Amino acid sequence: MKATERLHSWGRRGGSLLAAAGALFMAGNAAAYDWQTLPEEAPSPEDNPTTEEKVELGKKLFFDPRYSATGTVSCNTCHNVMEGGDDGRPTSMGVHGKTGPRNAPTVWNSAFHASQFWDGRAATLEEQAKGPVLAEVEMGVEALEVALERVASIPGYRDMFKEAFADDEEPVSVENAAKAVAAFERTLITPNSPYDRYVQGDTDALTEQQVRGMKTFNEVGCTSCHSGPNFSGNQLKQEKGEGVYQKFPAFSDNEYVEKYHLTDDKGRAKATGDEADAHMYKVPTLRNVALTAPYFHNGLVETLPEAVRVMAKTQLNRDLTEQQVADIVAFLEGLTGEFPEMTMPRLPSKSGESIVPATAADEYEGDGGGH
Amino acid sequence: MKATERLHSWGRRGGSLLAAAGALFMAGNAAAYDWQTLPEEAPSPEDNPTTEEKVELGKKLFFDPRYSATGTVSCNTCHNVMEGGDDGRPTSMGVHGKTGPRNAPTVWNSAFHASQFWDGRAATLEEQAKGPVLAEVEMGVEALEVALERVASIPGYRDMFKEAFADDEEPVSVENAAKAVAAFERTLITPNSPYDRYVQGDTDALTEQQVRGMKTFNEVGCTSCHSGPNFSGNQLKQEKGEGVYQKFPAFSDNEYVEKYHLTDDKGRAKATGDEADAHMYKVPTLRNVALTAPYFHNGLVETLPEAVRVMAKTQLNRDLTEQQVADIVAFLEGLTGEFPEMTMPRLPSKSGESIVPATAADEYEGDGGGH
């Protein structure tokens, strides 16, 4: 049976075929399942409506490494939008070669989460944006004001803040910098994946194996958490600050827990101080998951097939067949969306002077080589 | 006297006003000087003609940090084309937070140099491109083949190599990767600076102070080295591998030599092993120099005015007045060109697996925080 026929037979069996975005759709032989497509735009909060000026400023700030402690680490260093929105590392490497303890989540479609970070400790993108600037193992600045001071010393940036936040008495502020970065991040959406096109009625968009994987994904229970347009639970319908959390691992009686150190990190309990939140994590999106290896909060699982095996066992207590694993992986590959074409930002400069702190000449130790 | 009048009076005094690009032009009251504009295209070598396919591949490789030892350092890390083509640091920071001993030269207009690196140890951009991949303090890969293997494991990259080097039996090679990066770098040209427009006859393109600075720049002797379209000597007319070298400092009897450690680095002698090359350096371009602070091979001079003072004293044994310094700086700001609008590259991925080496689970030490 070809994918096309299969789809139509489900459609008929379940009722009428709705080809519109977000339609109620059939992927199982038996139960209907509400497969949803990704919105092409993310809603913006009342106190930070998305504007072109903010997006443009936020994009520059996102790509600018100069306000990190060493002048080498930008938001994009760990959340590389030129690829999967992450860094391909188990855990990220920030200033001075220091590494953090958790895997960088993708920035793509992060606008659709109801909370940010693995433990959901930031309610909004605005709030999240400030964290890494200060984190010793990320951008490593001693105070947000230090980063802002560098940015504010550049006339081009000052002008952009004034334009983007024209009604503010003090347009150049930490709050506005975070708002601009968040506004830019709200544009990082990858619609029209093969999955989305399939759900919208393009029955050739997924292969036969992918359709089989889609069905298995639902039948074995992955959709009990990875549901909704962003495959991250009902976070799109939640108030910011809520978030959908699950215990990981839910089932501990398996080889993976020790092998991949799955209980070393206390998860959300570290953020809330509440022991009831131990090992709770926000349900991450599965959009573009084929591009964001390695996997899980500690990045210790190297491949997507292994990630599927681990999830099935630790969360659903199921041993999948290799065929099921391969089918689900094929389906997940169908969640890779269309990345918007972006213009490279031009970062404004301070004429004749760098905003990155200089090495004092009396600390200088170089004697040749390199550049 | 306004800039316009001044210009015309020089023009008349020196002969006829030639408004064409690269025209013989007058900037001194007395002597004619051959002010030249920047070509809009860089010639490509016979064995690596520039093609769209190579440029596109080279651009991706230039921005891809994943083939560095840590997966965090790309060509663009130290040669940030979103800004001045450098990193704003005294000396660059590569993998593991290690720092090199020399300041990153700008990649903008590097195609017009007859040799690469501060000491000219690479004849071509193709040869240069391989150096930083291996340098322990830059991208830190143990062998070029290791970097290539990672790139070659990505189907999208393999396809692009085949397209860009269709006639090659083995299109995916270190040599071709270097050729692609060099082809991309040959597109990094910033024409139409205020200076260029002025030389082409737009007499309003420079301010009165800038015109005065241009004249002073010539009169005090800066043009004896910083000449030609790229203000780097006659390198555009040289065979690749030649290069224009000067001793720095030429005059040592001044405070700057000790203050800025100007003789710590043996310069070109380190590359050639020839003591006659001690403290010799390639004459760097002054194009976009206002964007590339801090200055000189060790990056110890923080501002452009101070760099002008140091140069005048160490190279010409002249003490400039503060007015002369300010005028020359104003002129140098007029060398900031037009940066071409660029599309952000999309880096191809290996599905469900990162090409950055993973941390073995038994080396894992994380326990929360960070992302």
Side-chain angles (χ1 to χ4, degrees):
Chain A
M1 190 192 271
K2 284 198 300 189
T4 322
E5 297 165 37
R6 186 183 299 271
L7 172 87
H8 282 289
S9 68
W10 294 343
R12 279 193 296 273
R13 218 170 287 158
S16 64
L17 178 72
L18 301 177
L24 185 74
F25 215 77
M26 311 292 118
N29 279 320
Y33 182 74
D34 182 21
W35 297 105
Q36 295 174 38
T37 59
L38 194 68
E40 301 208 5
E41 282 186 23
S44 54
E46 246 175 64
D47 65 345
N48 190 23
T50 302
T51 65
E52 224 173 275
E53 289 77 12
K54 281 186 213 167
V55 170
E56 197 46 42
L57 169 60
K59 185 182 182 183
K60 288 185 205 287
L61 292 170
F62 188 90
F63 280 95
D64 201 330
R66 295 172 298 170
Y67 58 89
S68 66
T70 55
T72 58
V73 176
S74 70
C75 305
N76 194 67
T77 300
C78 302
H79 303 285
N80 192 347
V81 298
M82 300 184 209
E83 207 234 348
D86 68 334
D87 57 9
R89 291 181 47 88
T91 66
S92 294
M93 180 172 273
V95 295
H96 301 297
K98 292 182 185 174
T99 51
R102 289 194 187 139
N103 181 263
T106 180
V107 68
W108 287 106
N109 308 305
S110 60
F112 297 118
H113 287 304
S115 68
Q116 302 295 334
F117 292 115
W118 277 99
D119 51 22
R121 68 185 183 277
T124 61
L125 288 170
E126 282 80 355
E127 197 183 328
Q128 188 280 331
K130 298 179 222 165
V133 182
L134 297 177
E136 196 206 334
V137 295
E138 299 186 25
M139 298 175 77
V141 172
E142 62 265 39
L144 287 168
E145 289 67 28
V146 173
L148 186 74
E149 206 179 297
R150 290 198 207 165
V151 167
S153 74
I154 299 177
Y157 266 130
R158 284 201 303 273
D159 292 347
M160 293 193 75
F161 272 95
K162 279 176 207 159
E163 223 175 301
F165 301 96
D167 297 337
D168 285 24
E169 235 172 273
E170 291 192 45
V172 189
S173 69
V174 166
E175 293 308 315
N176 285 346
K179 281 183 175 178
V181 169
F184 168 63
E185 289 174 336
R186 289 197 177 92
T187 69
L188 299 176
I189 301 172
T190 62
N192 300 321
S193 69
Y195 158 83
D196 292 284
R197 286 184 276 122
Y198 182 86
V199 170
Q200 284 168 57
D202 175 0
T203 52
D204 292 332
L206 294 179
T207 65
E208 190 172 345
Q209 183 180 25
Q210 287 179 312
V211 174
R212 205 164 56 226
M214 184 173 172
K215 193 174 127 189
T216 307
F217 182 83
N218 183 31
E219 284 178 351
V220 301
C222 306
T223 46
S224 55
C225 296
H226 292 290
S227 59
N230 206 20
F231 290 84
S232 59
N234 58 352
Q235 292 185 57
L236 280 86
K237 291 186 181 162
Q238 288 186 311
E239 291 296 314
K240 294 295 172 189
E242 293 187 5
V244 178
Y245 300 93
Q246 287 293 334
K247 194 173 178 193
F248 173 54
F251 296 91
S252 296
D253 185 22
N254 58 68
E255 56 171 332
Y256 297 127
V257 174
E258 196 185 342
K259 185 171 181 188
Y260 296 122
H261 299 252
L262 298 183
T263 50
D264 286 15
D265 187 332
K266 294 271 247 171
R268 187 159 162 79
K270 289 200 71 159
T272 63
D274 186 346
E275 201 53 33
D277 289 330
H279 310 300
M280 298 293 277
Y281 292 94
K282 196 182 56 168
V283 176
T285 180
L286 296 182
R287 295 267 171 192
N288 309 305
V289 71
L291 310 184
T292 62
Y295 298 103
F296 304 134
H297 62 274
N298 60 22
L300 288 181
V301 174
E302 290 183 35
T303 70
L304 191 50
E306 182 71 349
V308 169
R309 278 180 218 110
V310 173
M311 271 281 118
K313 191 65 189 169
T314 62
Q315 304 310 97
L316 303 162
N317 204 23
R318 290 187 76 135
D319 296 288
L320 302 180
T321 66
E322 279 311 288
Q323 186 62 52
Q324 285 177 309
V325 171
D327 291 350
I328 291 176
V329 166
F331 167 62
L332 293 175
E333 287 172 338
L335 299 183
T336 301
E338 278 175 16
F339 293 85
E341 189 170 287
M342 267 193 260
T343 310
M344 196 101 71
R346 278 232 50 84
L347 306 181
S349 305
K350 190 174 174 182
S351 186
E353 197 170 341
S354 174
I355 63 164
V356 179
T359 310
D362 52 15
E363 289 169 21
Y364 175 69
E365 288 177 19
D367 76 333
H371 288 115
Chain B
M1 191 191 269
K2 283 199 303 190
T4 322
E5 296 166 39
R6 186 183 300 271
L7 173 86
H8 283 288
S9 68
W10 295 343
R12 279 193 297 273
R13 217 170 290 157
S16 65
L17 177 73
L18 300 177
L24 185 73
F25 214 76
M26 311 293 118
N29 279 319
Y33 182 74
D34 183 22
W35 297 106
Q36 295 175 38
T37 60
L38 195 69
E40 300 208 4
E41 282 187 22
S44 54
E46 248 177 61
D47 66 345
N48 189 23
T50 303
T51 65
E52 223 173 278
E53 290 78 11
K54 281 185 214 169
V55 170
E56 196 47 41
L57 169 59
K59 185 182 179 183
K60 287 184 206 287
L61 292 170
F62 188 90
F63 281 95
D64 201 331
R66 294 173 298 171
Y67 58 89
S68 66
T70 54
T72 57
V73 177
S74 70
C75 305
N76 194 68
T77 300
C78 302
H79 303 284
N80 193 347
V81 298
M82 299 183 208
E83 206 234 347
D86 68 333
D87 56 9
R89 290 180 48 87
T91 67
S92 294
M93 180 171 273
V95 295
H96 302 296
K98 292 181 186 173
T99 51
R102 288 195 188 140
N103 181 265
T106 181
V107 68
W108 288 105
N109 307 304
S110 60
F112 297 118
H113 287 305
S115 68
Q116 302 295 334
F117 294 114
W118 278 100
D119 51 21
R121 67 184 184 277
T124 61
L125 288 170
E126 283 80 356
E127 197 182 326
Q128 188 279 332
K130 297 179 221 164
V133 183
L134 298 176
E136 196 206 337
V137 295
E138 300 188 24
M139 298 175 78
V141 171
E142 61 265 40
L144 287 168
E145 290 66 29
V146 173
L148 186 74
E149 206 179 297
R150 290 198 207 165
V151 167
S153 74
I154 299 177
Y157 265 130
R158 284 202 303 273
D159 293 347
M160 293 193 76
F161 272 95
K162 280 176 205 157
E163 222 174 300
F165 301 97
D167 297 338
D168 285 25
E169 234 172 272
E170 290 192 46
V172 188
S173 69
V174 166
E175 294 307 316
N176 285 346
K179 281 183 176 180
V181 169
F184 168 63
E185 290 174 334
R186 288 196 178 92
T187 69
L188 300 175
I189 301 172
T190 62
N192 301 321
S193 69
Y195 158 83
D196 292 283
R197 286 185 275 122
Y198 182 86
V199 170
Q200 285 168 53
D202 176 1
T203 52
D204 292 332
L206 294 180
T207 65
E208 190 174 345
Q209 182 180 27
Q210 287 180 313
V211 174
R212 206 165 55 223
M214 183 173 173
K215 194 175 127 188
T216 308
F217 183 83
N218 183 32
E219 283 178 350
V220 300
C222 306
T223 46
S224 55
C225 296
H226 292 289
S227 59
N230 206 21
F231 289 83
S232 59
N234 58 353
Q235 292 185 55
L236 279 86
K237 291 187 179 158
Q238 288 186 311
E239 290 297 314
K240 293 295 172 190
E242 294 187 4
V244 178
Y245 300 93
Q246 288 293 335
K247 194 172 177 193
F248 173 55
F251 297 90
S252 296
D253 185 22
N254 58 69
E255 57 171 331
Y256 297 127
V257 174
E258 195 185 343
K259 184 172 180 188
Y260 296 123
H261 300 252
L262 299 182
T263 50
D264 286 14
D265 187 333
K266 294 271 248 173
R268 187 159 161 79
K270 289 200 70 158
T272 62
D274 186 346
E275 200 54 32
D277 289 329
H279 310 300
M280 298 292 276
Y281 293 93
K282 195 181 57 168
V283 176
T285 179
L286 296 184
R287 294 267 172 194
N288 310 306
V289 71
L291 311 184
T292 62
Y295 297 102
F296 304 135
H297 62 273
N298 60 20
L300 289 182
V301 175
E302 291 183 35
T303 69
L304 190 51
E306 182 72 348
V308 169
R309 277 179 218 112
V310 173
M311 271 282 117
K313 192 66 189 170
T314 63
Q315 304 309 98
L316 303 162
N317 203 24
R318 290 186 79 134
D319 295 288
L320 302 180
T321 66
E322 278 311 287
Q323 185 62 54
Q324 286 177 310
V325 170
D327 291 351
I328 291 176
V329 166
F331 167 62
L332 293 174
E333 287 173 337
L335 299 181
T336 301
E338 278 176 16
F339 293 86
E341 188 170 288
M342 268 194 257
T343 309
M344 195 101 71
R346 279 233 50 86
L347 306 180
S349 305
K350 190 173 174 182
S351 186
E353 198 171 340
S354 174
I355 63 164
V356 178
T359 310
D362 52 16
E363 289 171 21
Y364 175 70
E365 288 176 21
D367 75 333
H371 288 115

